[in-house]
């Protein structure tokens, strides 16, 4: 294996990174309800020699304040189901499912992932999340979410217990090829990073700039060393979206076309969901209703205050705030340019120690993934920075991680 | 309504979770014309069947994929989502069999009620998918379930679409009885008038006399047979051969699993008769 190899994951939630993505002429919003679509996408990811396909998850319906949005792509089909079906039509690509430790018992989790690990022949990964959205609680009989500290200490216990259960499943047979799923984490807070340092073999994170990537990876590597683990046993995989074109001008025009599909109504629905507060009945041309937001939001008001107060003081309208919020989403790096430029940028990040690879989030699906696989992958391969064949059949071997040491009975 | 002679079987072999073996079992099920394949059964569930039916969806063409779900080790929110997705991926071939497996009395029934309320939270014609107008769905068709049972309390709405079948085909097994009166299929050791399901399938072995089964089918006491398999590759062709005449004389309909087997959604089971419709996009 090349030592400066770039790893790539494909984060394929819904119909793309942009809320407008589903309306793109090369998007297939009806596809997410058919096996043909998932079969096509899975084979495309494997053709692109991606390490893994990743699906995020939510345990609540989209929307805010009990109102279901009309303009956002939903619903979200169960990620483990989609990934297991994608495994059935591929041979190498890994499958990373997001599952909550707060709303699954270790027994439920271990049985589901143990079965997935077997039927995929050792290609399963578990993105460990504790769930944060306040609307989740009611779906599991709770009035409110457990506090963050409780969720993380519980997560550590759940992971430990699940690992014991997998060891028992492995001994009982049929054998688990990887011993257990690869453990993946995406926590950003100090508690989340500490948990990841102890647990994660791969980390998904936002990194809007190369400097942010370097800071995050250095911090994680030092935390990992600090708990006595080898930092080379963990892959750091920041999110990366892109809009490509044959020339820079064409790429910018393609980006503008995605932006131009945005409507104020969609932007306000998207903002409402992100703030956990229904803003659809407010006048979009009036000032951002900061007081109402802070009163109604279900999220911690300090966090929401940091997001909205500066705009409120400037007198920004709800319309402008919502549009700007939607078009610059989620703190991930968005690349706009040619495939050559993108490959160079990726190599620069990798060589600077900003990442071990990237978690690609196509701007719309499946067109955005097609463009990347056809345009960028061959360049990375020609430059000797990306695999042309898979090294083995398990996700662990694809990631170049040391073999999992099976616990003694 | 169609009245086919239904062939059903269960596999509880741990090797069903191994891809090479699972592929041969699924091929055999499709080739022999099996209508329903239960992944696991009461007393034999060495895997998570919900995961295996997902894998089986693209690896099979015709057979109904029935996940055995233990009430003791599952939550209706997760189950409703998983089986909704399987139903889309299998183009409407999903079933489920809820067994208590050690759960407190009433848990399995509560699981059925909660999952049904989540599937019913989405109208059949919720999706619009109009790129030009930017309308993805009709929000008035999405409802919070606010389900409150003795064991499960689920607000909803679930973030999974109503399945193509409306609800997956619900299978009861008299070896692990649950108090549901409006299921779709009951697996019975003896024909009974109150099996709790639209259709009953008689549990058989390869030694069962076909004449006896034919007589019960003619009297309307059963609608087919079910067999628990211990050696699927050897037994499936024999099972199919044994009942070949009855199957040939009483074929199923066309379409999804409910249409083929003549199993409309019971009006007590759902707040609407149809499954999800996906708009076509030009």
């Amino acid at each position: 294996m090349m030592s400066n190899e770039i790893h790539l994951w494909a984060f394929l939630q819904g119909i793309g990174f942009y809320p407008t993505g589903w309306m793109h002429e090369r998007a297939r919003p009806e596809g997410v309800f058919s096996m043909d679509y998932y079969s096509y996408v899975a084979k495309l990811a494997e053709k692109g020699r991606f390490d893994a396909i990743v699906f995020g998850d939510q345990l609540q319906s989209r929307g805010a304040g009990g109102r279901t949005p009309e303009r956002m792509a939903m619903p979200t089909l169960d990620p483990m189901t989609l990934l297991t079906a994608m495994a059935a039509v591929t041979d190498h690509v890994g499958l990373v499912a997001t599952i909550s430790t707060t709303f699954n018992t270790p027994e439920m989790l271990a049985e589901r992932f143990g079965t997935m690990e077997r039927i995929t022949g050792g290609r399963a990964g578990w993105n460990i999340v504790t769930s944060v959205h306040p609307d989740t609680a009611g779906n599991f009989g709770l009035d409110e979410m457990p506090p963050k500290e409780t969720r993380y200490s519980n997560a550590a216990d759940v992971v430990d217990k699940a690992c014991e259960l997998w060891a028992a499943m492995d001994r009982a047979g049929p054998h688990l090829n990887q011993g257990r799923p690869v453990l993946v984490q995406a926590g950003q807070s100090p508690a989340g990073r500490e948990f990841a340092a102890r647990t994660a073999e791969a980390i998904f994170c936002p990194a809007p700039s190369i400097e942010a990537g370097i800071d995050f990876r250095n911090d994680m590597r030092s935390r990992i060393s600090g708990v006595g683990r080898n930092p080379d046993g963990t892959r750091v995989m920041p999110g990366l979206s892109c809009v490509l074109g044959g020339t820079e001008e064409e790429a910018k025009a393609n980006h503008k076309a995605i932006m131009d599909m945005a409507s104020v109504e969609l932007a306000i629905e998207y903002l409402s969901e992100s703030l956990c507060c229904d803003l659809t009945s407010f006048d979009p041309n009036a000032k951002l209703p900061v007081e109402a937001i802070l009163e109604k939001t279900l999220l911690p008001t300090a966090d929401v205050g940091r997001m909205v107060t500066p705009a409120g003081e400037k007198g920004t309208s709800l319309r402008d705030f919502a549009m700007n919020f939607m078009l610059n989403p989620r703190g991930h790096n968005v690349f706009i340019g040619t495939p050559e430029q993108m490959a160079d940028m990726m190599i620069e990040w990798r060589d600077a120690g900003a990442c071990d690879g990237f978690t690609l989030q196509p701007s719309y699906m499946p067109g955005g993934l097609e463009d990347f696989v056809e345009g960028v992958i061959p360049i990375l391969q020609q430059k000797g920075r990306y695999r042309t064949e898979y090294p083995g059949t398990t996700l662990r071997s694809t990631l170049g991680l040391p073999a999992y040491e099976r616990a003694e009975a | 309504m169609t009245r086919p002679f239904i062939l059903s079987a269960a596999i509880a072999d741990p090797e069903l979770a191994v891809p090479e073996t699972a592929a041969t079992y699924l091929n055999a099920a499709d080739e022999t014309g099996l209508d329903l394949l239960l992944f696991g059964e009461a007393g034999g569930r060495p895997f998570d069947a919900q995961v295996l039916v997902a894998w089986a969806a693209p690896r099979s063409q015709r057979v109904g994929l029935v996940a055995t779900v233990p009430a003791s080790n599952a939550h209706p929110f997760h189950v409703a989502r998983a089986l909704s997705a399987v139903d889309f991926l299998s183009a409407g071939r999903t079933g489920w069999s809820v067994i208590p497996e050690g759960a407190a009395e009433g848990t399995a029934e509560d699981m059925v009620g909660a999952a049904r309320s989540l599937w019913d939270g989405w109208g059949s014609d919720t999706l619009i998918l109009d790129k030009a107008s930017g309308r993805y769905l009709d929000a008035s068709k999405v409802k919070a379930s606010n389900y409150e049972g003795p064991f499960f309390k689920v607000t909803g709405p679930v973030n999974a679409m109503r399945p193509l079948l409306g609800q997956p085909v619900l299978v009861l097994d008299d070896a692990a009885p649950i108090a549901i009166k409006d299921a779709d299929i009951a697996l019975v050791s003896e024909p009974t008038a109150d099996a709790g399901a639209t259709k009953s399938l008689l549990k058989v072995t390869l030694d069962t006399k076909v004449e006896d089964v034919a007589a019960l089918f003619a009297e309307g006491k059963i609608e087919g047979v079910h067999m628990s398999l211990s050696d699927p590759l050897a037994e499936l062709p024999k099972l199919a051969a044994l009942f070949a005449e009855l199957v040939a004389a009483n074929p199923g309909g066309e379409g999804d699993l409910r249409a083929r087997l003549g199993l409309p959604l019971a009006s007590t089971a759902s707040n609407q008769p149809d499954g999800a419709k996906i708009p076509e996009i030009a």
Side-chain angles (χ1 to χ4, degrees):
Chain A
M1 192 189 68
M2 40 196 142
S3 62
N4 56 2
E5 179 182 37
I6 290 174
H7 288 274
L8 272 178
W9 294 18
F11 185 91
L12 302 180
Q13 200 70 41
I15 314 164
F17 180 64
Y18 284 99
T20 53
W22 72 268
M23 291 181 274
H24 195 277
E25 60 179 357
R26 290 173 62 214
R28 284 181 57 194
E30 79 289 11
V32 297
F33 300 101
S34 79
M35 189 63 224
D36 282 354
Y37 170 84
Y38 293 104
S39 183
Y40 173 73
V41 165
K43 288 174 181 172
L44 186 58
E46 192 159 87
K47 182 186 165 201
R49 301 293 185 261
F50 278 78
D51 294 349
I53 299 168
V54 190
F55 277 90
D57 200 23
Q58 298 84 38
L59 296 175
Q60 81 287 342
S61 194
R62 302 193 74 169
R67 182 185 177 280
T68 298
E70 297 221 314
R71 293 169 180 276
M72 293 201 292
M74 52 187 289
T76 319
L77 298 187
D78 178 57
M80 188 178 269
T81 301
L82 301 182
L83 289 163
T84 305
M86 289 166 112
V89 298
T90 52
D91 297 314
H92 295 281
V93 69
L95 300 311
V96 177
T98 298
I99 300 279
S100 168
T101 51
T102 304
F103 298 111
N104 288 278
T105 64
E107 289 74 18
M108 284 160 64
L109 259 165
E111 188 172 83
R112 290 204 85 188
F113 266 114
T115 304
M116 185 193 186
E117 169 68 11
R118 274 192 188 127
I119 198 70
T120 63
R123 292 189 276 149
W126 173 20
N127 180 29
I128 306 163
V129 297
T130 67
S131 301
V132 294
H133 199 288
D135 287 348
T136 306
N139 288 328
F140 296 88
L142 302 180
D143 293 328
E144 56 185 46
M145 294 294 286
K148 190 176 218 167
E149 311 79 66
T150 317
R151 281 187 281 124
Y152 271 108
S153 68
N154 177 62
D157 293 345
V158 169
V159 172
D160 286 348
K161 178 69 179 162
C163 287
E164 285 172 25
L165 293 167
W166 286 319
M169 282 178 83
D170 187 39
R171 286 191 294 270
H175 184 67
L176 301 178
N177 281 0
Q178 296 186 116
R180 58 157 170 73
V182 171
L183 302 180
V184 181
Q185 231 273 318
Q188 293 305 307
S189 65
R193 291 188 189 200
E194 210 45 46
F195 178 62
R198 290 176 189 283
T199 314
E201 293 162 302
I203 296 173
F204 171 65
C205 60
S209 65
I210 190 167
E211 293 78 19
I214 292 168
D215 286 348
F216 180 82
R217 185 164 176 271
N218 284 345
D219 179 59
M220 285 314 306
R221 288 179 71 86
S222 107
R223 285 175 191 263
I224 291 166
S225 299
V227 298
R229 293 176 66 215
N230 177 1
D232 293 334
T234 300
R235 304 275 167 265
V236 177
M237 308 287 293
L240 171 61
S241 189
C242 63
V243 181
L244 298 169
T247 62
E248 257 190 81
E249 291 67 39
E250 196 180 302
K252 283 177 185 160
N254 289 342
H255 182 251
K256 184 171 184 298
I258 296 173
M259 302 291 112
D260 287 348
M261 291 187 295
S263 66
V264 177
E265 293 87 349
L266 170 61
I268 292 176
E269 283 187 344
Y270 184 73
L271 180 65
S272 297
E273 178 187 53
S274 303
L275 296 179
C276 280
C277 166
D278 183 18
L279 297 170
T280 55
S281 57
F282 287 84
D283 176 2
N285 297 314
K287 270 177 54 176
L288 184 69
V290 171
E291 277 182 27
I293 291 170
L294 294 177
E295 191 190 311
K296 292 203 301 186
T297 181
L298 299 179
L299 297 176
T301 48
D303 296 351
V304 174
R306 275 194 294 278
M307 286 171 67
V308 298
T309 307
E313 284 166 3
K314 272 192 270 176
T316 309
S317 69
L318 170 59
R319 166 197 299 268
D320 289 349
F321 187 83
M323 288 294 270
N324 184 56
F325 182 81
M326 180 174 69
L327 298 178
N328 298 288
R330 301 204 282 281
H332 286 296
N333 182 17
V334 178
F335 179 82
I336 300 164
T338 67
E340 291 78 12
Q341 290 170 329
M342 183 160 186
D344 288 343
M345 179 276 292
M346 293 169 74
I347 290 169
E348 186 192 349
W349 276 54
R350 178 74 178 84
D351 288 345
C355 63
D356 295 283
F358 300 89
T359 304
L360 185 77
Q361 301 182 272
S363 44
Y364 53 86
M365 283 294 293
L369 183 63
E370 290 166 353
D371 291 348
F372 183 85
V373 169
E374 285 159 19
V376 182
I377 295 281
I379 298 172
L380 290 171
Q381 288 171 331
Q382 280 156 20
K383 290 178 186 276
R385 300 302 297 269
Y386 190 69
R387 70 173 68 92
T388 52
E389 294 300 333
Y390 285 98
T393 57
T394 65
L395 175 56
R396 186 167 286 280
S397 65
T398 302
L399 290 170
L401 295 174
Y404 174 63
E405 286 177 27
R406 289 179 156 79
E408 296 297 319
Chain B
M1 185 48 94
T2 313
R3 192 178 171 230
F5 185 85
I6 298 171
L7 273 186
S8 168
I11 298 180
D13 179 359
E15 296 285 322
L16 184 56
V18 176
E20 295 77 15
T21 312
T24 62
Y25 288 174
L26 289 167
N27 288 343
D30 266 347
E31 280 168 15
T32 53
L34 197 71
D35 294 304
L36 297 173
L37 177 61
L38 274 73
F39 290 66
E41 60 192 347
R45 203 189 52 77
F47 39 63
D48 186 320
Q50 295 172 74
V51 176
L52 297 187
V53 291
W55 194 86
R59 291 293 197 116
S60 57
Q61 301 301 318
R62 182 183 180 279
V63 65
L65 307 169
V66 183
T68 296
V69 176
S72 55
N73 198 31
H75 189 282
F77 193 86
H78 299 314
V79 174
R81 289 184 76 208
L83 295 182
S84 163
V86 173
D87 203 45
F88 286 108
L89 301 182
S90 65
R93 288 189 286 130
T94 312
W96 63 322
S97 169
V98 186
I99 59 172
E101 204 177 272
E105 192 178 335
T107 314
E109 294 81 354
D110 204 20
M111 170 85 69
V112 171
R116 281 177 165 176
S117 78
L118 291 170
W119 289 319
D120 281 356
W122 287 70
S124 302
D125 48 359
T126 302
L127 296 176
I128 300 172
L129 308 186
D130 183 12
K131 289 183 180 180
S133 71
R135 284 191 79 207
Y136 187 89
L137 59 75
D138 178 351
S140 70
K141 306 277 171 66
V142 187
K143 303 264 194 303
S145 308
N146 292 316
Y147 178 89
E148 286 195 35
F151 299 91
F152 300 114
K153 198 172 144 192
V154 188
T155 312
V158 70
N159 50 346
M161 185 62 187
R162 179 176 184 75
L164 291 172
L165 292 178
Q167 295 174 3
V169 167
L170 179 60
V171 178
L172 306 180
D173 182 350
D174 68 1
I178 65 172
I180 293 289
K181 290 292 159 204
D182 53 5
D184 297 296
I185 296 278
L187 310 176
V188 298
S189 309
E190 298 283 340
T192 161
D194 58 351
T198 308
K199 300 196 173 191
S200 289
L201 307 182
L202 184 68
K203 292 181 180 176
V204 298
T205 67
L206 293 176
D207 297 326
T208 300
K209 289 196 171 63
V210 178
E211 314 83 80
D212 298 348
V213 169
L216 289 169
F217 181 73
E219 291 166 34
K221 290 184 174 164
I222 60 166
E223 304 294 324
V225 293
H226 173 81
M227 182 169 161
S228 180
L229 306 176
S230 53
D231 184 357
L233 294 182
E235 290 164 334
L236 272 170
K238 290 178 186 166
L239 177 69
L242 193 58
F243 296 102
E245 281 185 31
L246 276 166
V247 169
N250 303 280
E254 295 292 321
D256 65 28
L257 190 62
R258 286 189 177 280
R260 265 171 35 209
L261 302 187
L263 290 168
L265 257 177
S267 61
T268 52
S270 182
N271 61 7
Q272 51 195 312
D274 296 320
K277 297 180 181 66
I278 309 298
E280 297 212 3
I281 294 185

